[in-house]
């Protein structure tokens, strides 16, 4: 099975259509509607599947002999309708929708983890109705294809053009197209190769910070200062990666913001949503650099995971250059969390 089946399954989940993994039907809670859920349920209510982190928050993980991060199935009580399932799946609603109970967990099957991973890749809350007996199935695939779908990304250069920017009037922009999803990553090349490893910045898309001037993060200042640093050096590349919210997607990032307003830090907010603290895959950046003919770089970052991610994908990091910028009273706790819990270094 190739990446095409996985891409079709992601598209089906986003549209609220059922899929089948290893013979088990799944319907994403976030994109389901009442009619679709009724069709999916058939003659009896389908059960619920949530992530282990969410189950731990709900005090359900200890009902099963499983590690806290393992998937947990909940037997569907008659009163758990679509709104109730959504409240179970979305921790950002916990203060608005006090949860009912009791809940009873039941044994799950092998495809559960694969289904949750697919939901995360689709940018959806990792929560499903599972085992429904009705509804038309859009895509059938096996869990091995999902769990093993971590190979080098299928990228190609789609187009390139001169792009004068404030930091450099001689910059060039290069667009990359993926064969597996709709993400279009770009590289901004400043200067020309001069025998030195280029100064490279991996910048993950941040609509709120880059375009709207958000003070909750340091992304906007990081982007501007990185371009200035590359231009000052004379030769380098900025990779703009379509990995919003550390790859949990814009909608889930805003959910994480709501949880942060309730007192949770960035890491705990992501975990409560059912994601890891950082879902990004830096092999995409490595492939972009390889297509640009750059196998050795100076990396402008405070994040050791970026260094490790590039090196694991075959790009040598000759030097890590610290990137210090963007602190303000609104993001100080965020920056402290990056240092204390995510290992960022200056």
């Amino acid at each position: 099975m190739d990446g095409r089946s996985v891409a079709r399954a992601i598209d089906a989940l986003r549209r609220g259509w059922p899929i089948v993994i290893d013979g088990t039907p799944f319907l994403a809670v976030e994109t389901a509607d009442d009619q679709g859920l009724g069709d999916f349920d058939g003659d009896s209510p389908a059960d619920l599947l949530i992530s282990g982190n969410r189950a731990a928050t709900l005090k359900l993980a200890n009902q099963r002999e499983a590690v806290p991060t393992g998937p947990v199935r909940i037997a569907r009580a008659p009163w758990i309708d679509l709104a109730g399932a959504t409240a179970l799946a979305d921790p950002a609603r916990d203060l608005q929708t006090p949860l009912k109970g009791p809940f009873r967990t039941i044994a799950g099957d092998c495809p559960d983890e694969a289904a949750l991973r697919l939901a995360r890749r689709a940018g959806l809350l990792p929560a499903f109705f599972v085992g429904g007996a009705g509804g038309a199935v859009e895509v059938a695939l096996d869990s091995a294809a999902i769990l093993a779908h971590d190979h080098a990304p299928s990228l190609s250069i789609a187009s390139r053009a001169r792009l004068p920017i404030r930091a450099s009037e001689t910059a060039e922009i290069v667009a990359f197209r993926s064969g597996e999803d709709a993400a279009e990553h770009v590289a901004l090349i400043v200067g020309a190769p001069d025998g030195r490893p280029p100064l490279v910045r991996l910048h993950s898309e941040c609509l709120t910070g880059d375009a709207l001037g958000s003070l909750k993060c340091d992304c906007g200042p990081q982007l501007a200062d990185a371009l200035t640093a590359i231009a000052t050096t004379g030769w380098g590349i900025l990779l703009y990666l379509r990995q919003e919210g550390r790859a949990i997607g814009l909608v889930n990032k805003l959910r994480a913001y709501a949880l942060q307003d309730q007192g949770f830090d960035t890491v705990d907010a992501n975990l409560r949503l059912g994601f890891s603290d950082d879902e990004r895959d830096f092999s995409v950046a490595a492939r972009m650099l390889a297509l640009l003919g750059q196998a050795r770089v100076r990396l402008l970052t405070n994040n050791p995971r970026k260094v490790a991610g590039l090196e694991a994908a075959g790009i040598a990091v000759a030097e890590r250059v610290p990137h210090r910028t963007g602190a303000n009273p609104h993001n100080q706790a965020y920056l402290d969390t990056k240092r204390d819990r995510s290992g960022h270094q200056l």
Side-chain angles (χ1 to χ4, degrees):
M1 182 178 297
D2 58 22
R4 183 176 300 177
S5 297
V6 174
R8 289 176 58 214
I10 289 173
D11 181 66
L13 293 180
R14 288 174 173 163
R15 294 175 184 270
W17 297 341
I19 64 170
V20 166
I21 305 175
D22 294 349
T24 299
F26 292 87
L27 177 69
V29 170
E30 182 172 350
T31 52
D33 57 27
D34 288 322
Q35 180 177 340
L37 177 57
D39 292 341
F40 185 78
D41 281 341
D43 295 330
S44 60
D47 294 319
L48 284 170
L49 172 67
I50 58 176
S51 71
N53 285 329
R54 181 60 175 152
T57 297
L58 298 174
K59 310 300 183 186
L60 296 177
N62 61 355
Q63 293 188 24
R64 305 298 317 167
E65 293 181 0
V67 295
T69 54
V72 172
R73 287 196 189 189
I74 300 173
R76 180 96 168 275
W79 47 267
I80 303 179
D81 57 8
L82 180 58
T86 301
L88 275 171
D90 187 353
R93 299 175 181 232
D94 285 352
L95 296 182
Q96 305 168 18
T97 311
L99 295 177
K100 302 176 182 179
F103 303 109
R104 181 173 64 88
T105 60
I106 56 178
D109 293 325
C110 293
D112 289 356
E113 180 56 48
L116 295 182
R117 184 174 298 191
L118 203 59
R120 295 183 185 107
R121 291 194 58 195
L124 302 177
L125 288 169
F128 285 92
F129 297 102
V130 57
V137 173
E138 294 298 325
V139 182
L141 65 170
D142 59 78
S143 57
I146 301 167
L147 298 175
H149 196 62
D150 294 324
H151 57 268
S154 173
L155 288 179
S156 60
I157 294 177
S159 64
R160 57 199 307 163
R162 187 178 69 86
L163 182 68
I165 61 173
R166 282 191 292 269
S168 173
E169 295 182 1
T170 61
E172 179 187 20
I173 189 169
V174 182
F176 298 79
R177 183 165 287 157
S178 170
E180 299 168 356
D181 56 41
E184 294 173 339
H185 309 280
V186 299
L188 198 63
I189 302 173
V190 176
D194 58 8
R196 298 176 298 159
L199 181 62
V200 170
R201 171 69 183 168
L202 312 186
H203 186 88
S204 297
E205 177 183 30
C206 179
L207 173 67
T208 50
D210 298 344
L212 302 180
S214 169
L215 298 177
K216 288 180 68 71
C217 64
D218 57 347
C219 299
Q222 279 190 335
L223 176 60
D225 289 358
L227 289 171
T228 298
I230 292 171
T232 300
T233 299
W235 153 233
I237 304 169
L238 182 133
L239 302 184
Y240 197 85
L241 306 172
R242 306 300 298 277
Q243 299 178 337
E244 179 82 48
R246 298 180 184 174
I248 69 173
L250 177 62
V251 172
N252 288 313
K253 184 175 83 167
L254 299 186
R255 291 185 174 119
Y257 279 0
L259 288 171
Q260 290 167 36
D261 288 342
Q262 296 174 24
F264 299 100
D265 66 22
T266 311
V267 171
D268 285 336
N270 279 21
L271 295 177
R272 290 177 77 87
L273 286 167
F275 297 90
S276 68
D277 65 322
D278 192 337
E279 293 277 346
R280 288 175 292 183
D281 177 7
F282 296 115
S283 67
V284 172
R287 179 60 180 156
M288 293 168 71
L289 289 169
L291 289 171
L292 294 174
Q294 303 303 319
R296 190 166 181 265
V297 302
R298 299 169 62 231
L299 192 62
L300 184 62
T301 187
N302 302 326
N303 187 352
R305 293 187 188 181
K306 291 184 177 180
V307 176
L310 287 187
E311 291 187 330
I315 302 296
V317 178
E319 178 187 4
R320 184 186 71 83
V321 180
H323 193 38
R324 187 176 309 173
T325 187
N328 69 69
H330 298 277
N331 69 14
Q332 191 58 58
Y334 162 83
L335 297 176
D336 292 344
T337 299
K338 288 208 292 187
R339 180 195 64 217
D340 298 337
R341 301 196 62 187
S342 300
H344 287 217
Q345 305 166 353
L346 292 178

